[in-house]
């Protein structure tokens, strides 16, 4: 598949770990192939995280969207769903905000992408 034609949104889930998110965003900026946008699904982090994201938004190589909702306990799934709803592109990658990505993370995903395909989960031998 021609990976240059695939437009990609990268969702990053976070909650009150600005130090980890800082490293994660730096690793995204160093991707050999950048996503078209980064959408941060924030499960109610405090202001320190917002300030960090605003700093990155100023000169990041692709647009960063910050999708935040109020902290009402662990609502990671809702946060991710809101992030997905705010993605502008058809191929969506999801990571946690405490990951440092290998520089080929996005390009490897795009290399193996197939149109209209979602991999099935392999069953374990005990199932």
């Amino acid at each position: 598949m021609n990976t240059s034609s695939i437009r990609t949104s990268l969702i990053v889930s976070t909650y009150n770990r600005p130090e980890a998110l800082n490293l994660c965003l730096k690793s995204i900026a160093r991707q050999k192939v950048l996503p078209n946008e980064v959408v941060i699904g924030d499960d109610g982090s405090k202001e320190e995280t917002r300030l960090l994201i605003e700093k990155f938004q100023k000169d990041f190589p692709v647009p960063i969207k910050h999708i935040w909702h109020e902290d009402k306990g662990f609502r990671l799934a809702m946060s991710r769903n809101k992030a997905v709803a705010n993605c502008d592109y058809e191929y969506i990658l999801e990571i946690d905000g405490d990951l440092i990505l290998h520089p080929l993370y996005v390009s490897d995903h795009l290399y193996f992408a197939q149109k209209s395909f979602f991999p099935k989960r392999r069953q374990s031998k005990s199932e």
Side-chain angles (χ1 to χ4, degrees):
M1 181 170 209
N2 179 3
T3 60
S4 64
S5 66
I6 301 174
R7 297 173 304 167
T8 307
S9 297
L10 175 58
I11 293 175
V12 180
S13 298
T14 194
Y15 175 71
N16 282 331
R17 300 246 352 249
E19 301 86 10
L21 183 60
N22 179 52
L23 295 174
C24 180
L25 290 171
K26 286 179 179 179
S27 75
I28 294 168
R30 293 185 183 111
Q31 289 296 294
K32 181 177 172 132
V33 174
L34 290 165
N36 295 92
E37 69 178 353
V38 174
V39 180
I40 299 175
D42 188 341
D43 192 18
S45 296
K46 294 182 172 72
E47 182 156 340
E48 187 178 357
T49 299
R50 181 185 60 79
L51 294 173
L52 173 75
I53 293 167
E54 287 177 357
K55 182 182 114 189
F56 272 95
Q57 286 172 323
K58 290 177 184 173
D59 62 356
F60 206 72
V62 299
I64 297 177
K65 295 178 184 175
H66 184 198
I67 311 304
W68 181 90
H69 65 205
E70 186 179 355
D71 185 359
K72 292 184 178 179
F74 184 74
R75 299 186 302 159
L76 175 61
M78 180 182 288
S79 177
R80 282 188 178 141
N81 287 341
K82 287 180 179 182
V84 168
N86 281 275
C87 288
D88 287 334
Y89 301 104
E90 67 269 15
Y91 193 79
I92 299 173
L93 302 170
E94 292 185 39
I95 64 168
D96 289 329
D98 60 355
L99 296 179
I100 296 174
L101 302 184
H102 185 281
L104 300 177
Y105 178 81
V106 173
S107 64
D108 283 352
H109 269 276
L110 295 176
Y111 178 80
F112 289 103
Q114 297 179 39
K115 190 167 182 69
S116 301
F117 178 77
F118 190 84
K120 293 181 182 177
R121 184 177 69 84
R122 290 177 47 194
Q123 287 186 334
S124 68
K125 292 180 181 179
S126 64
E127 290 184 86

